[in-house]
Amino acid sequence: MFPAGPELRVNNKDYEQVLLDVRRSLRRFPPGMPLKEREDLQEQLIDIILQVLARNPQLHYYQGYHDIVVTFLLVVGGPLATLLVDKLSTHHLRDFMDPSMDNTKHILNYLMPIIELVNPGLHDFMVRAEVGTIFALSWLITWFGHVLSDFRHVVRLYDFFLACHPLMPIYFAAVIVLHRESEVMECECDMASVHHLLSQIPQDLPYETLISKAGDLFVQFPPSELSREAALQHQAERTAVSTFKDFELASTQQRPDMVLRRRFRDSVRPENRNKAVLTKPRTNRLVKLAVMGLTVALGAAALAVVKSALEWAPKFELQIFP
């Protein structure tokens, strides 16, 4: 890892933007934190980001990346956060760090097919409103860290996403929209009204219920079955998430999972594919998540996030995406 220090900031093409974003991140720090402590953490945040970028020149900084990094910094501290973010940036976040947003747009295009499969009426309403998927951009690229004000909810979602397939945040975005069906359908059917509603996430969502439903949807409609419905499907084979084989490889080495996978295959029949969504046994959801999700490299991060969240969960104010 490149050493932190002033040399990383000299003639660095990303430094000015990172500095601006970090300065705007005051609300991501605990209320009442002493000024000196917060400023020290902000300096660490800048160094972590620049170190990861220096070590991985193929990666490109994006606005919102600092929202993810600051979460790890607050939970596990600078040294471990640097290692974890470095790994995360070349895996789960890799598609967001391309020179263009093509792969990010491709991932966003999984959102509407999921909604259509679960609730065609809601999907049709959103299509007529021409709302698109841009309302979910900040959700996806910051893992909801930018739009949730309660730090406990942020670290709970990070724990979930770390243990799952890289596309799980888009499934969670879908269940939020589905959960708010009645609100959406009561809107004026136009882009401005629907976008305004959906871009403001309620802070009192039933997160555990939504996490469970997102897992169920992942089992019911895995990414491989959605790729043909997703827009820009010609780019599917070029995204990192579509070739994320190390997740599956790591999980298949675990004997309990292999047993459960055999049970899963035996229990699934073609005639059951069209049954109501979210009605499959809970065991099947856990099997698929285990098979598609866990990595040895990031398992420690999930444990650290959970333990820290239980011990320290300050409330954060809502931050508007710049």
Side-chain angles (χ1 to χ4, degrees):
M1 186 64 65
F2 284 76
E7 63 276 9
L8 272 178
R9 306 185 183 194
V10 177
N11 297 324
N12 189 302
K13 65 181 179 64
D14 297 306
Y15 173 65
E16 291 298 329
Q17 185 61 59
V18 172
L19 179 62
L20 289 174
D21 290 344
V22 170
R23 285 177 174 174
R24 287 195 291 256
S25 66
L26 299 182
R27 293 177 181 174
R28 293 301 313 278
F29 294 90
M33 173 178 282
L35 176 62
K36 180 63 167 63
E37 184 179 354
R38 191 199 71 213
E39 290 178 343
D40 288 345
L41 286 172
Q42 287 180 299
E43 290 299 311
Q44 291 184 56
L45 178 57
I46 294 172
D47 285 339
I48 292 173
I49 293 172
L50 295 182
Q51 284 184 77
V52 171
L53 294 174
R55 183 178 180 181
N56 302 279
Q58 76 278 16
L59 301 180
H60 297 261
Y61 177 78
Y62 65 89
Q63 288 184 277
Y65 182 68
H66 68 290
D67 280 296
I68 290 181
V69 180
V70 72
T71 304
F72 284 94
L73 174 61
L74 291 172
V75 172
V76 300
L80 182 55
T82 304
L83 296 174
L84 296 176
V85 171
D86 181 76
K87 185 67 173 180
L88 193 66
S89 298
T90 56
H91 290 75
H92 287 64
L93 305 179
R94 179 63 184 87
D95 287 316
F96 308 147
M97 306 189 76
D98 276 346
S100 73
M101 291 191 65
D102 288 346
N103 284 340
T104 301
K105 293 175 182 176
H106 174 69
I107 294 171
L108 279 173
N109 278 294
Y110 280 79
L111 180 63
M112 294 302 286
I114 297 171
I115 295 172
E116 182 179 20
L117 287 166
V118 179
N119 191 326
L122 177 60
H123 170 269
D124 292 346
F125 181 89
M126 294 175 66
V127 170
R128 291 198 307 274
E130 299 181 338
V131 68
T133 58
I134 195 66
F135 66 86
L137 176 61
S138 65
W139 304 359
L140 178 66
I141 65 176
T142 70
W143 279 9
F144 296 83
H146 190 81
V147 294
L148 298 181
S149 59
D150 192 324
F151 193 66
R152 293 172 299 176
H153 297 153
V154 174
V155 295
R156 178 65 183 96
L157 287 181
Y158 275 48
D159 169 46
F160 178 50
F161 296 150
L162 281 170
C164 294
H165 189 281
L167 281 177
M168 188 56 76
I170 205 67
Y171 283 81
F172 191 78
V175 299
I176 288 180
V177 176
L178 292 164
H179 178 75
R180 304 184 69 192
E181 174 194 3
S182 60
E183 297 176 73
V184 175
M185 299 294 281
E186 290 172 2
C187 274
E188 293 291 330
C189 190
D190 61 71
M191 189 274 289
S193 299
V194 179
H195 176 87
H196 177 74
L197 173 71
L198 290 176
S199 62
Q200 307 296 318
I201 295 184
Q203 299 300 305
D204 59 349
L205 292 172
Y207 289 94
E208 292 303 323
T209 299
L210 297 182
I211 285 172
S212 179
K213 288 182 177 180
D216 289 333
L217 284 179
F218 187 91
V219 173
Q220 190 84 12
F221 308 115
S224 59
E225 295 184 8
L226 294 175
S227 59
R228 280 176 290 188
E229 283 75 27
L232 304 177
Q233 61 180 342
H234 63 282
Q235 293 191 22
E237 295 182 357
R238 289 170 24 195
T239 60
V241 294
S242 65
T243 56
F244 217 82
K245 300 301 182 184
D246 51 332
F247 277 83
E248 190 171 6
L249 179 61
S251 60
T252 55
Q253 305 306 314
Q254 304 176 43
R255 284 190 57 192
D257 287 343
M258 295 176 68
V259 174
L260 291 174
R261 288 174 68 197
R262 286 196 295 269
R263 290 179 58 190
F264 175 76
R265 288 195 298 266
D266 293 341
S267 66
V268 174
R269 295 290 184 269
E271 60 269 20
N272 295 328
R273 293 295 294 171
N274 295 324
K275 289 187 177 181
V277 179
L278 308 183
T279 59
K280 290 192 174 183
R282 184 175 180 84
T283 299
N284 289 351
R285 178 178 66 82
L286 295 176
V287 173
K288 194 71 173 184
L289 290 177
V291 173
M292 299 301 292
L294 287 175
T295 63
V296 175
L298 293 174
L303 179 60
V305 170
V306 176
K307 292 176 67 177
S308 299
L310 293 175
E311 297 172 358
W312 177 64
K315 289 192 173 182
F316 284 23
E317 298 176 6
L318 182 64
Q319 182 178 357
I320 305 300
F321 201 71

